[in-house]
Amino acid sequence: MNSSDEELRRSVAALLPRLRRFGVALAGTPEQGDDIVQAAIERVLTKANQWQVGTSLESWIFKIMQNIWRDELRRRRTDERKQVLNSAGNEETVDGSSVAETMLMLTRTRECFTRLPDDQRLALALVVLDGRSYREAADQLEIPIGTLMSRLSRGRDALRRMIEDDKNIALQKASAQ
């Protein structure tokens, strides 16, 4: 292994927390996000010669991750995703009803987030989940800052509407029973 390979490995290792957050934002679950990160790192290490020194390694890896996720979505298009509600645990001090309600809301929100169009989901992931500035996120996505702000606004509105619609549907089902 030469020094440039070692430097690439160190740089990738330093990016792991951000890559993981981005992977989770893309996929919706930590497990699937970790799978995306692992596949992307494997691709980076096997195709290191394709990275152009002087360009952003992080941007290159993010693009690889987006491509991996899009490929995965194509494979899953015919499958219906099923979410499983995690159990609250057996502690006596835990309010199981409250924990279950919170977990259900989180699951619904995560599912709604994954239904957003890619451009809106990625904008929200970079700004809201990763804490990037608008400028950093726009640069990362290679779009004008106004376009990013538009995607954020539309994404937030769409997410809010989906969550409210899901809540209304659940209330209608409960009252019908």
Side-chain angles (χ1 to χ4, degrees):
M1 181 179 337
N2 62 37
S3 63
S4 64
D5 289 342
E6 188 59 37
E7 180 60 31
L8 177 66
R9 289 174 187 266
R10 272 194 228 104
S11 297
V12 169
L15 291 172
L16 280 175
R18 293 181 98 161
L19 297 177
R20 186 164 192 274
R21 282 193 300 270
F22 190 66
V24 170
L26 280 173
T29 68
E31 296 81 13
Q32 292 172 337
D34 287 345
D35 289 345
I36 292 171
V37 172
Q38 182 179 356
I41 291 173
E42 178 183 4
R43 214 171 276 179
V44 165
L45 295 177
T46 59
K47 300 184 187 257
N49 61 333
Q50 293 180 5
W51 177 56
Q52 298 173 0
V53 177
T55 61
S56 171
L57 177 63
E58 184 177 27
S59 293
W60 185 53
I61 298 173
F62 276 21
K63 287 288 183 193
I64 291 170
M65 291 172 68
Q66 289 175 38
N67 290 337
I68 289 169
W69 181 242
R70 285 186 187 117
D71 290 345
E72 179 66 21
L73 288 178
R74 281 186 206 108
R75 281 191 289 274
R76 293 181 182 187
R77 205 159 270 151
T78 57
D79 296 336
E80 288 185 10
R81 290 187 65 206
K82 295 181 182 177
Q83 298 285 336
V84 177
L85 183 61
N86 295 326
S87 63
N90 295 329
E91 295 181 31
E92 291 180 26
T93 59
V94 173
D95 177 7
S97 175
S98 175
V99 171
E101 187 176 317
T102 301
M103 292 299 294
L104 184 58
M105 183 61 183
L106 179 60
T107 300
R108 284 181 182 154
T109 303
R110 190 177 283 149
E111 197 277 328
C112 290
F113 185 78
T114 61
R115 290 189 333 229
L116 289 173
D118 284 349
D119 59 342
Q120 294 173 14
R121 190 175 65 249
L122 294 176
L124 283 169
L126 290 172
V127 173
V128 177
L129 300 178
D130 202 28
R132 301 218 184 175
S133 69
Y134 287 2
R135 170 59 45 214
E136 290 172 326
D139 290 346
Q140 186 72 48
L141 295 172
E142 300 173 351
I143 58 173
I145 198 164
T147 301
L148 174 80
M149 293 170 68
S150 174
R151 289 178 183 180
L152 286 169
S153 178
R154 286 181 293 147
R156 287 175 175 140
D157 289 344
L159 190 58
R160 188 177 306 112
R161 278 192 311 275
M162 282 190 278
I163 291 169
E164 287 174 8
D165 289 348
D166 281 0
K167 202 183 295 184
N168 289 337
I169 290 169
L171 288 173
Q172 289 173 354
K173 285 181 181 178
S175 66
Q177 295 175 350

